[in-house]
Amino acid sequence: MDNNAHTDPSESLNQRPRIIAVANQKGGVGKTTTTINLATALAAVRKRVMVLDLDPQGNASTGLGIEQSERKINAYHVMIGEASLDEAILETAIPGLTIVSSGVDLSGAEIELIEFEDRLFRLKTAIGSHLDGYDYVLIDCPPALGLLTVNALNAADAVLVPVQCEFFALEGVSHLVRTIDRIKKAYNPDLEIQGIVLTMFDSRNNLSDAVAADVREFFGDIVYDTVIPRNVRVSEAPSHGKPVLLYDTACAGSQAYIHLASEVLKREKMLAA
Ligand SMILES: Nc1ncnc2c1ncn2[C@@H]1O[C@H](COP(=O)(O)OP(=O)(O)O)[C@@H](O)[C@H]1O
Ligand SMILES: [Mg+2]
């Protein structure tokens, strides 16, 4: 057993990681931003974390400062069976945080995967027992409910759903929750919803308040108390190849992601109990 990744031997030795898929079939709702910053906030409290960038757009890879030239072995090769997960893992500039990057080939993977009999479980199989020594794997899903997202949901222990505070948010998330239920029934009975996080909340906009109230009324306790505010520093950070937590630790967006991480950890304790 390889224990090199352990920094604190008193913590969770040799336990398999918890795998959390960050999913919503809508684009632009904050999946990637949440993946990057939650991962960074977890690494900051000495969790060993991996981001798995499963979106062909590769925004999580870019946002964590991974150059195109570093992405030669990426999630595509893992999904298609041309590389093992270990071969695809890259270090980031953040201690305790690694990444499996995305590649443009991933956009064709949905079609290439069709020929595999185990196409719904490619990722689960690839992860296998390769990630002992990690506490959390966060999968940044593409904005669709296709084969890549289904692979993420089948490999995951839990789903975290970012919901943008805008019109039609409730319909989108209801559709996703039905899909999660179907996946649970058909393939992955242990899949749980870690929680729903309201993103890009704008206190000057009445619609934000209304949407937040609706989502809370409908989904109750699974909605985190933490709300991620719309914050320009959050949107600037990716162009610097940094999580906002490093770009501007004090800004409201960073502080919100720190709170979200502590809520996620609290729920993890409850889910494990
Ligand atoms: N809290 C926020 N405040 C301001 N801009 C944000 C916030 N969260 C995300 N964004 C911006 O909104 C856009 C979409 O976010 P992103 O995380 O890429 O969504 P998704 O991965 O769901 O497509 C990006 O340009 C991102 O920088
Ligand atoms: Mg994204």
Side-chain angles (χ1 to χ4, degrees), residues 83-176:
S84 73
L85 195 70
D86 293 328
E87 291 172 299
I89 297 176
L90 302 169
E91 298 291 332
T92 71
I94 297 139
L97 178 60
T98 64
I99 183 168
V100 169
S101 69
S102 154
V104 282
D105 291 343
L106 209 48
S107 60
E110 302 248 350
I111 290 164
E112 288 181 58
L113 285 171
I114 292 171
E115 71 186 66
F116 292 98
E117 211 173 307
D118 64 345
R119 58 188 165 272
L120 302 179
F121 301 96
R122 300 289 298 173
L123 186 61
K124 186 182 171 74
T125 307
I127 291 175
S129 58
H130 282 273
L131 295 178
D132 289 351
Y134 281 92
D135 296 304
Y136 290 101
V137 176
L138 301 186
I139 307 176
D140 189 23
C141 292
L145 291 174
L147 266 182
L148 289 171
T149 297
V150 171
N151 264 271
L153 295 176
N154 280 340
D157 300 296
V159 197
L160 193 156
V161 184
V163 174
Q164 190 182 348
C165 295
E166 49 137 43
F167 207 57
F168 292 133
L170 201 54
E171 282 155 57
V173 71
S174 301
H175 178 61
L176 178 60

Side-chain angles (χ1 to χ4, degrees), residues 24 33 38 66 69 117 121-122 134 174 195 206 216 257:
N24 187 327
T33 305
L38 181 59
I66 305 297
S69 60
E117 211 173 307
F121 301 96
R122 300 289 298 173
Y134 281 92
S174 301
N206 290 337
R216 286 194 193 284
Y257 275 111

Side-chain angles (χ1 to χ4, degrees), residues 32 55 59 140:
T32 300
D55 184 348
N59 296 338
D140 189 23

Side-chain angles (χ1 to χ4, degrees), residues 26-33 200 228-231 234-235 238:
K26 281 195 76 171
V29 299
K31 288 182 291 296
T32 300
T33 305
M200 292 181 242
I228 312 297
R230 186 174 278 287
N231 181 195
V234 174
S235 55

Side-chain angles (χ1 to χ4, degrees), residues 179-200:
T179 302
I180 293 168
D181 279 340
R182 278 203 293 272
I183 295 266
K184 244 176 108 103
K185 286 202 184 88
Y187 311 117
N188 187 3
D190 297 330
L191 186 64
E192 298 166 303
I193 297 185
Q194 223 286 344
I196 294 175
V197 59
L198 295 161
T199 63
M200 292 181 242

Side-chain angles (χ1 to χ4, degrees), residues 66-93:
I66 305 297
E67 303 286 341
Q68 286 293 343
S69 60
E70 295 178 83
R71 304 183 196 177
K72 292 210 173 72
I73 302 176
N74 58 55
Y76 167 78
H77 304 99
V78 174
M79 292 297 291
I80 227 75
E82 284 179 8
S84 73
L85 195 70
D86 293 328
E87 291 172 299
I89 297 176
L90 302 169
E91 298 291 332
T92 71

